[in-house]
Amino acid sequence: MARKPPFSEDPFQVPPDTLGLSAEEMRRLGHKVVDMVVDRFERRNAEPVVTTGDAADLTNQLGGALPNMPMDPDASLDLMAEVALGHMQHGDHPRYFARVPGPASFAAILGDWMGTGFNSICASWGGGSGTAIVENTVVSWVAEMLGLPSQTEGVLLSGGSLANFTGFCVARSEVGRGVAYLMDQTHASLPRNLRQMGLNDEEIRILPSDETLRMCPDVLAASIEEDIGKGLKPMMVVATAGTTNTGAADPLEAIADICEQHNIWLHVDGAYGAPAAITQDGREVLKGLERADSVVLDPHKWFFQPYDLGMCFVTRPGALDRCFSMNPEYLKDVQADNEVNYGNRSLELTRRSRALKLWMSLRTYGAQSFREGVAHGIALAEEAERQLRAAPETWDVLSHAQLGIVCFARNGADSEDHAKRANRLSESGFATVSTTSLHGRTALRLCTINPLTTAEDIQRTLELLAAPM
Ligand SMILES: *Cc1c(COP(=O)(O)O)cnc(C)c1O
């Protein structure tokens, strides 16, 4: 299509910045930001993995009186990098093994920067048709990578918490009110979501996990039968594709069979582990994922995206829109009847285009690089397990390497000792790991999903953890 002509032949000048920076200043500061970010990437390996500040000290440096008059932006950028952004956990550091790392890739960061720079919006068709198609595109690309059915729809949210909440709302809107089945290893944000949706305690079943910390299909089936016998209506089963604690994946095929038999909505929380399905080994472990009615994946964890980004997929066409559509008079001009309006797919109306970063990074690196990156994380946890098993006098493997996570104990250590070792390691700045508890047994935990992490990183980390207190 030809470009629209300008209003006037007069090239009248518009001030470039709403609040007064000159174009020259904008370029200079923008280039400085790029340099600061790339400089950090180049020396990331040498920075402390976590730095926590003192609240009074941080407030002293970052707070102060409301700046009524302009201040020097260079000084503010330097202060931001050094103090505000310097006192964080660096989830993209190669030796960040705690909770869930966030190994963001640079092409994805560029996508986010462009979206912010152009003040991108993806809410209605008329308000952002280009960004809507980008979101459609990344939803179908990732659905294809995961092996979900071709009719799958989706929406991008801030993270797993909101993506799971969105899937739960769709489940209830499609099947009506009833009981939801979770287990004791389900992420804590999920029962919180259900309570805030208005489910009462009688409608939330937290089933005990089996000895491998998975949902047990027999326990699930018995609980469902019991509820049906009591005249209750099962609404949804929430399975986990890779728990945050151990990476264990629930037996999705067996759970899908039970859901099919009773016509219950199957929601799979793959916020952590769903990316494993793009690799050959992971696809085996997550067999049955393609039978879910809704699936959640957190690209800001194991899909190389900067915070924040969660995805909710729904395999039943139209269900997202049936749940969240609203058509008020003030949106009639921009909402198209036959095209997607992303403001009608979750509780967010005005929303930036979170799809740009995923689009940019999948195009820049290719799905094959994502596959290799995820496979590296799976293999590295297996390497960590090999190293642990090679030192049985020191370590006891409590949960074998599963989807990038391994849990272990130091022989004879109690939870206090584990906490002290983990804390000493974090304070050294070299690496950071998590402590957790598995069926009451205290554990240390490594999550190894950063493609930059090496076997030597793991070896040195285990040495530091094992050193005499
Ligand atoms: C991280 C996580 C969540 C929560 O996702 P956020 O992005 O932190 O909101 C939910 N479920 C699982 C399994 C997770 O690992």
Side-chain angles (χ1 to χ4, degrees):
M1 209 174 81
R3 276 182 85 95
K4 286 182 197 162
F7 289 169
S8 145
E9 290 307 312
D10 275 336
F12 63 90
Q13 285 285 300
V14 182
D17 177 33
T18 320
L19 291 181
L21 288 179
S22 70
E24 201 180 23
E25 195 70 338
M26 289 161 68
R27 285 182 206 285
R28 191 186 63 76
L29 290 167
H31 292 156
K32 172 173 167 145
V33 167
V34 173
D35 283 338
M36 290 170 82
V37 169
V38 178
D39 282 350
R40 181 192 157 245
F41 278 133
E42 286 191 319
R43 55 180 160 71
R44 173 166 49 176
N45 207 35
E47 78 181 355
V49 182
V50 190
T51 311
T52 307
D54 168 74
D57 182 39
L58 291 172
T59 306
N60 199 23
Q61 296 190 69
L62 298 166
L66 168 71
N68 240 330
M69 298 307 287
M71 292 173 76
D72 174 16
D74 285 278
S76 295
L77 286 175
D78 293 342
L79 185 67
M80 200 192 299
E82 230 173 274
V83 182
L85 305 174
H87 291 87
M88 293 199 309
Q89 60 181 32
H90 297 297
D92 56 359
H93 189 292
R95 288 181 303 276
Y96 183 95
F97 300 113
R99 296 167 291 279
V100 180
S105 59
F106 192 69
I109 291 168
L110 289 176
D112 239 6
W113 279 350
M114 282 289 278
T116 301
F118 280 72
N119 202 16
S120 70
I121 186 164
C122 183
S124 65
W125 179 253
S129 45
T131 47
I133 295 299
V134 171
E135 190 151 342
N136 276 354
T137 302
V138 297
V139 164
S140 65
W141 281 349
V142 178
E144 179 185 333
M145 290 170 81
L146 296 176
L148 298 179
S150 59
Q151 78 275 10
T152 299
E153 295 174 341
V155 59
L156 273 49
L157 295 133
S158 63
S161 302
L162 268 291
N164 279 307
F165 180 78
T166 303
F168 295 170
C169 291
V170 175
R172 185 173 58 184
S173 117
E174 290 293 297
V175 302
R177 202 179 171 110
V179 180
Y181 300 84
L182 293 70
M183 59 148 184
D184 54 30
Q185 296 296 303
T186 305
H187 193 276
S189 62
L190 277 59
R192 176 173 72 175
N193 280 336
L194 292 170
R195 284 195 299 274
Q196 295 311 322
M197 275 172 68
L199 271 71
N200 57 43
D201 289 348
E202 281 67 53
E203 293 167 312
I204 305 175
R205 291 280 168 281
I206 311 272
L207 306 172
S209 56
D210 69 12
E211 65 280 4
T212 64
L213 298 151
R214 287 173 176 72
M215 184 179 271
C216 174
D218 291 344
V219 172
L220 172 66
S223 181
I224 289 170
E225 300 284 358
E226 192 187 326
D227 284 336
I228 293 173
K230 283 197 261 181
L232 296 171
K233 181 185 160 177
M235 170 179 78
M236 164 177 73
V237 172
V238 179
T240 305
T243 63
T244 318
N245 245 349
T246 65
D250 289 339
L252 300 179
E253 287 278 26
I255 294 171
D257 287 343
I258 295 168
C259 288
E260 202 170 277
Q261 185 192 341
H262 295 284
N263 204 14
I264 304 173
W265 186 275
L266 173 57
H267 176 91
V268 177
D269 177 12
Y272 171 68
I278 73 172
T279 70
Q280 218 161 20
D281 292 353
R283 182 66 66 91
E284 276 305 303
V285 177
L286 300 182
K287 224 162 158 303
L289 181 71
E290 69 287 351
R291 295 173 64 188
D293 296 289
S294 47
V295 175
V296 161
L297 181 156
D298 246 359
H300 65 208
K301 288 176 173 168
W302 210 357
F303 236 51
F304 316 116
Q305 306 299 304
Y307 304 123
D308 48 23
L309 182 57
M311 297 178 92
C312 176
F313 299 93
V314 177
T315 58
R316 203 182 279 192
L320 273 162
D321 292 274
R322 281 194 290 279
C323 180
F324 290 108
S325 279
M326 51 176 185
N327 292 295
E329 64 282 5
Y330 39 80
L331 291 179
K332 285 227 179 335
D333 303 333
V334 284
Q335 285 194 348
D337 291 339
N338 301 316
E339 302 293 351
V340 64
N341 298 286
Y342 271 97
N344 276 342
R345 286 197 171 181
S346 77
L347 288 181
E348 289 188 303
L349 177 53
T350 301
R351 54 200 286 282
R352 68 201 170 91
S353 172
R354 294 195 182 93
L356 294 170
K357 51 185 159 190
L358 199 43
W359 184 87
M360 183 68 190
S361 50
L362 276 167
R363 285 177 60 108
T364 301
Y365 306 110
Q368 185 53 28
S369 298
F370 278 54
R371 261 179 230 115
E372 287 164 9
V374 173
H376 178 86
I378 294 175
L380 210 56
E382 290 163 0
E383 163 65 21
E385 182 184 346
R386 261 193 302 279
Q387 293 185 18
L388 289 160
R389 291 202 192 277
E393 67 290 351
T394 310
W395 301 118
D396 184 12
V397 175
L398 299 187
S399 165
H400 70 273
Q402 299 178 91
L403 307 186
I405 297 176
V406 62
C407 295
F408 52 101
R410 180 163 162 102
N411 289 329
D414 58 10
S415 68
E416 197 184 327
D417 181 71
H418 278 155
K420 275 190 188 152
R421 287 174 187 279
N423 196 38
R424 178 182 63 177
L425 180 67
S426 288
E427 287 193 343
S428 79
F430 181 79
T432 187
V433 304
S434 286
T435 63
T436 189
S437 161
L438 309 178
H439 279 169
R441 285 193 73 185
T442 163
L444 294 165
R445 172 184 166 284
L446 290 174
C447 183
T448 61
I449 61 174
N450 191 331
L452 297 177
T453 308
T454 63
E456 292 69 43
D457 285 325
I458 303 234
Q459 190 186 340
R460 186 79 190 114
T461 298
L462 292 179
E463 280 167 16
L464 290 173
L465 272 175
M469 289 296 295

